[in-house]
């Protein structure tokens, strides 16, 4: 059995990244794929579940994991740690399962260094007007927060060229079909297929 | 507008390469794609059309084109020349049209050297038994010719690892979906998208 592929997925807030990943995982029974769940030391919020939204851990535990080199990347934000566990990702990939990692451009850079075979996908909104419309439609954020997100979006988008693939999320279904094509095509790469069809190739080439 | 991609497609005789390419071109109105038509000095056979199956040219003309460096690759087989024109391919790619090049592993090597951005796809039959069954089902060849094709198939297949992608043509529709996914994913590569959406990116990043 071949190894899975690690997909680094980045996008500005409001581009539709979470919905695309969720839809992909829900309706792709033919492919084995999972989303990486980050570790954090921040408190659990209402509606969040341990092991689903985050692995919620104590600061001492997190720092011990850092010491052991168990994070592919981690960052401290407002006094809380957030990190991506190396062990779970490597075990999952070794089972032939593709892993999605929802992360910003800074985390993406750290991951690429440690996992050079990872493929990265950047999701873009079709325009700033549409991005702002989507952020407003969520009804979650105040005007000031949305202005802040729009500024952050520009900074995130400026790193689009560091990614292997770019998906424009104008029409959701088109973007989803794009995402699926990337995953299907990556599974057709020579090294993946040679590993998956080792026995068949041996038989084809037998004297 | 972005440039098209050159696809080198190889397979042993009977793997279904021509049917896959033909089906792709006939039912993919969303993508601009064409098949490269080779030049040859051999005589036209019944049912063949100039400019469709080959560009049929005189030996002197072919040799003049060699002199001018107008072939990406060429070969002499039983006293006849066969070659791939550089000019038409480059012009077509520059129009944003993908080009398919149906060629064996030796031609593929020459093309890769000259067109390093080309993507190569190898199509495999699921087994030697199935390959032989398909060659027999065509009803075109004698037993001796089929035995020769089976030996050639093994030699061609032994170069599978030189290709970017491998498609197993067991079920035709699955193989076709694979082929389409590769083409769709290649169009989503960062450099292609950045070129295609240059204006959009500029607007997204404008102050």
């Amino acid at each position: 059995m071949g190894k899975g592929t690690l997909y680094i997925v980045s996008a500005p807030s409001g581009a539709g990244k979470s919905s695309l990943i969720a839809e992909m995982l829900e309706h792709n029974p033919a492919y084995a794929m999972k989303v990486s769940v980050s570790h954090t030391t921040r408190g659990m919020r209402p509606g969040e579940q341990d092991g689903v939204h985050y692995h919620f851990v104590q600061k001492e535990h997190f720092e011990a994991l850092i010491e052991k080199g168990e994070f592919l990347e981690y960052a401290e934000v407002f006094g809380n740690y957030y990190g991506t566990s190396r062990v779970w990702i490597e075990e999952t990939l070794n089972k032939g399962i593709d892993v999605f990692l929802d992360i910003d451009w800074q985390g993406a850079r750290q991951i690429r260094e440690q996992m050079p075979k990872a493929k990265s996908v950047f999701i873009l909104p079709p325009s700033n007007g549409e991005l702002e419309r989507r952020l407003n439609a969520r009804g979650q954020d105040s005007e000031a927060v949305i202005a802040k997100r729009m500024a952050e979006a520009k900074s995130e988008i400026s790193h689009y060229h560091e990614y292997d693939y770019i998906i424009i999320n104008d029409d959701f279904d088109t973007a989803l079909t794009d995402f699926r094509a990337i995953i299907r095509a990556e599974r057709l790469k020579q090294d993946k297929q040679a590993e998956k069809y080792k026995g068949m190739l041996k038989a084809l080439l037998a004297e």
Side-chain angles (χ1 to χ4, degrees), chain A residues 63-207:
Chain A
E63 285 170 343
L65 292 175
I66 295 174
E67 280 299 308
K68 286 200 266 175
E70 290 204 1
F71 288 113
L72 280 177
E73 62 81 41
Y74 71 93
E76 205 183 333
V77 183
F78 302 125
N80 294 311
Y81 284 119
Y82 296 83
T84 305
S85 158
R86 172 197 302 278
V87 181
W88 180 85
I89 288 184
E90 288 185 345
E91 282 175 2
T92 308
L93 294 176
N94 282 335
K95 287 179 198 156
I97 299 171
D98 288 341
V99 174
F100 293 87
L101 196 53
D102 177 339
I103 203 162
D104 71 2
W105 69 271
Q106 281 157 311
R109 277 197 182 170
Q110 293 182 59
I111 301 287
R112 266 187 220 104
E113 264 175 44
Q114 308 232 18
M115 308 282 278
K117 285 188 182 167
K119 295 293 163 181
S120 57
V121 179
F122 199 91
I123 298 162
L124 283 174
S127 68
N128 287 323
E130 173 62 14
L131 188 65
E132 198 163 352
R133 197 195 60 73
R134 289 183 195 169
L135 290 172
N136 275 306
R138 286 181 179 180
Q140 285 174 358
D141 304 314
S142 67
E143 225 172 283
V145 170
I146 287 177
K148 191 172 145 275
R149 286 200 194 283
M150 289 303 293
E152 285 167 353
K154 201 157 290 181
S155 150
E156 185 74 20
I157 291 172
S158 73
H159 294 274
Y160 76 87
H161 57 274
E162 298 171 19
Y163 290 73
D164 296 313
Y165 294 99
I166 294 179
I167 294 175
I168 318 289
N169 186 11
D170 186 359
D171 173 64
F172 185 80
D173 289 335
T174 304
L176 188 62
T177 307
D178 285 345
F179 209 162
R180 286 183 172 147
I182 290 167
I183 290 157
R184 187 170 188 128
E186 283 295 336
R187 289 182 168 240
L188 296 168
K189 288 274 177 81
Q190 188 272 127
D191 56 338
K192 301 268 174 199
Q193 291 283 72
E195 178 67 24
K196 186 173 173 189
Y197 291 100
K198 214 169 3 181
M200 196 196 88
L201 279 159
K202 211 175 155 188
L204 281 169
L205 294 167
E207 287 310 315

Side-chain angles (χ1 to χ4, degrees), chain A residues 35-39 51-55 83-85 88 100-101:
Chain A
V35 176
S36 167
V37 176
S38 300
H39 284 62
V52 175
H53 299 89
Y54 284 99
H55 297 290
T84 305
S85 158
W88 180 85
F100 293 87
L101 196 53

Side-chain angles (χ1 to χ4, degrees), chain A residues 42-56:
Chain A
R42 80 150 164 78
M44 213 185 294
R45 290 174 191 161
E48 286 186 338
Q49 273 180 278
D50 187 27
V52 175
H53 299 89
Y54 284 99
H55 297 290
F56 294 95

